[in-house]
Amino acid sequence: MNDDLWLDRPLVLPWLKGRWTDLLELKSQNRLPHALLINGPEGIGKACFALALANFMLCRDPQGTSACGQCRSCELTGSGGHPDLYQLCPDEPGKPIKIDQIRELTKFIYSTAQQGGYRVVIIDPADSMNINAANALLKMLEEPGENTLLMLLTHRLGQMLPTIKSRCQRVDLPPAEVEMATKWVATQLEVESDEAAQLLVIAHNSPLQALAYKQDDLLGLRAKVLKGLADILKNRSSSIEVAQQLFKEDLELILGWMYSWMVDIARLSENEADPEILRHSDARNMLLALARKVSSRKLYEYADLVQEERKGLMFRRNPNKQLLMEKLLSEWYSLPRG
Ligand SMILES: [Zn+2]
């Protein structure tokens, strides 16, 4: 991994530079709104972007379009302890932001003495506020007080209350442009651009997710899953043996891959389309062979089954993962066998 990584310092990622310049332009004209709704796909760097803007607003000696990185204020932001920066997120990932948390924020906004500059709030993800929390935030959005900037981050705009949306200025961050993202991922990970491109495909074009995939060796896991599936079809291993190898891995992720492979080949066998449409080049040969042998109806049925089990994993507390994999893989074995 490149030592110069973004993680400990808020950097604006290359594909977000255009929006960055726009906001700084507004700031220089004293027209920066007091509430921004920062919207964009998952894993493109929204949190870094917001933190970089907070850093810039709080910096005592900004240099052109970036914070100085040296002043006391930059130091405090970097260590996560700036008294005028308030970052609000759920107590646990995936849980809602509750009204008590917004009450704490209210105290910060209305009763804390400022250190002489801006006060900045980042709410991430803002769509996780429950309805009471969102309503409690409304008043603050109307009258946040002087020199205050609130940034609400979301990748699920549809789940934001209209009343919240209408009180913020929307900043739409674009998805990462493929060529730029490939180059960036390759540089960060110090890998060839082919590998970077493949990581990006399985990460649905999210550069940050691509980095996480590499760190967790998810390409390795993916190769293991593909080999297991091929071994079952070719009778080299039984579905029970492969289930045994896989059930302790991240099944939500594996089932997500299986689902997208099935949808890919169902599309292919339905349209007799150009195999080039297959996005998952690593699984290509097996998927093409299945597309020739299995009807699209059966493939969709299997995709539905996978998806249903995946939902079960997300919502049920404690499914028997080994049995679940055995079931899915024995159906997998039967797929081309009628
Ligand atoms: Zn500074």
Side-chain angles (χ1 to χ4, degrees):
M1 194 67 85
N2 192 326
D3 289 341
D4 189 28
L5 196 51
W6 46 276
L7 281 170
D8 48 353
R9 280 186 305 149
L11 293 184
V12 178
L13 298 180
W15 45 92
L16 303 179
K17 291 260 157 81
R19 290 294 182 282
W20 177 257
T21 316
D22 297 345
L23 289 176
L24 260 46
E25 179 76 27
L26 287 177
K27 160 98 171 68
S28 72
Q29 300 165 355
N30 281 326
R31 285 169 50 225
L32 191 66
H34 64 260
L36 302 175
L37 178 54
I38 297 180
N39 166 55
E42 234 178 330
I44 57 161
K46 290 189 295 298
C48 266
F49 184 91
L51 202 53
L53 188 56
N55 191 186
F56 184 81
M57 303 294 286
L58 297 168
C59 174
R60 288 175 188 171
D61 186 21
Q63 311 284 310
T65 58
S66 53
C68 75
Q70 322 242 312
C71 69
R72 177 81 185 127
S73 193
C74 281
E75 222 172 80
L76 287 168
T77 311
S79 67
H82 199 296
D84 287 328
L85 172 61
Y86 197 100
Q87 294 177 268
L88 182 57
C89 54
D91 287 336
E92 284 173 59
K95 293 276 161 63
I97 291 177
K98 299 187 202 107
I99 187 163
D100 290 346
Q101 293 175 276
I102 301 292
R103 287 195 184 119
E104 284 297 312
L105 172 62
T106 312
K107 277 187 216 156
F108 168 79
I109 291 271
Y110 296 115
S111 25
T112 317
Q114 247 158 300
Q115 312 291 305
Y118 251 84
R119 221 188 324 240
V120 182
V121 176
I122 299 174
I123 305 181
D124 181 20
D127 50 74
S128 69
M129 282 185 290
N130 68 22
I131 185 110
N132 292 333
N135 282 327
L137 184 73
L138 279 178
K139 192 170 160 285
M140 224 181 301
L141 286 174
E142 271 161 12
E143 289 174 24
E146 286 284 291
N147 289 340
T148 300
L149 174 66
L150 290 123
M151 288 184 265
L152 281 64
L153 275 51
T154 184
H155 64 271
R156 286 179 296 223
L157 196 60
Q159 294 188 21
M160 301 283 306
L161 281 186
T163 41
I164 296 268
K165 283 195 264 186
S166 67
R167 283 165 178 79
C168 301
Q169 166 133 350
R170 217 169 104 186
V171 179
D172 289 331
L173 299 187
E177 192 265 313
V178 175
E179 205 174 311
M180 210 185 262
T182 308
K183 201 171 153 206
W184 185 80
V185 170
T187 309
Q188 294 300 328
L189 295 174
E190 297 169 340
V191 298
E192 296 295 320
S193 62
D194 282 355
E195 186 176 348
Q198 197 175 20
L199 282 164
L200 274 166
V201 167
I202 66 170
H204 301 289
N205 202 35
S206 149
L208 299 185
Q209 193 66 58
L211 294 196
Y213 276 11
K214 173 69 180 178
Q215 271 176 314
D216 297 346
D217 189 27
L218 291 191
L219 280 183
L221 175 61
R222 197 170 150 105
K224 186 172 159 188
V225 174
L226 283 170
K227 181 174 182 306
L229 292 177
D231 284 350
I232 292 173
L233 291 181
K234 293 185 174 166
N235 259 326
R236 286 191 299 238
S237 306
S238 72
S239 50
I240 292 178
E241 283 164 349
V242 177
Q244 183 67 34
Q245 292 161 15
L246 295 178
F247 80 96
K248 287 182 183 156
E249 304 286 357
D250 182 346
L251 290 194
E252 249 183 79
L253 182 72
I254 293 178
L255 267 49
W257 289 339
M258 287 174 71
Y259 177 76
S260 67
W261 292 329
M262 291 307 102
V263 171
D264 233 13
I265 54 176
R267 273 185 18 233
L268 192 67
S269 74
E270 201 169 48
N271 305 321
E272 290 181 25
D274 181 355
E276 290 303 315
I277 69 163
L278 279 182
R279 294 182 68 228
H280 306 283
S281 53
D282 52 351
R284 193 182 159 108
N285 288 342
M286 180 171 65
L287 299 186
L288 287 176
L290 273 179
R292 281 193 296 273
K293 286 185 197 159
V294 186
S295 72
S296 59
R297 186 185 56 80
K298 279 192 71 179
L299 290 168
Y300 276 121
E301 275 173 17
Y302 189 72
D304 283 347
L305 175 69
V306 171
Q307 187 71 329
E308 207 173 290
E309 293 296 348
R310 186 162 164 244
K311 279 188 199 151
L313 274 176
M314 288 152 117
F315 301 118
R316 243 179 282 146
R317 287 228 170 122
N318 215 354
N320 184 323
K321 292 184 173 176
Q322 191 168 0
L323 281 181
L324 185 156
M325 274 320 268
E326 283 176 12
K327 176 179 154 196
L328 280 181
L329 294 177
S330 100
E331 294 278 335
W332 170 259
Y333 174 82
S334 320
L335 256 186
R337 293 177 169 80

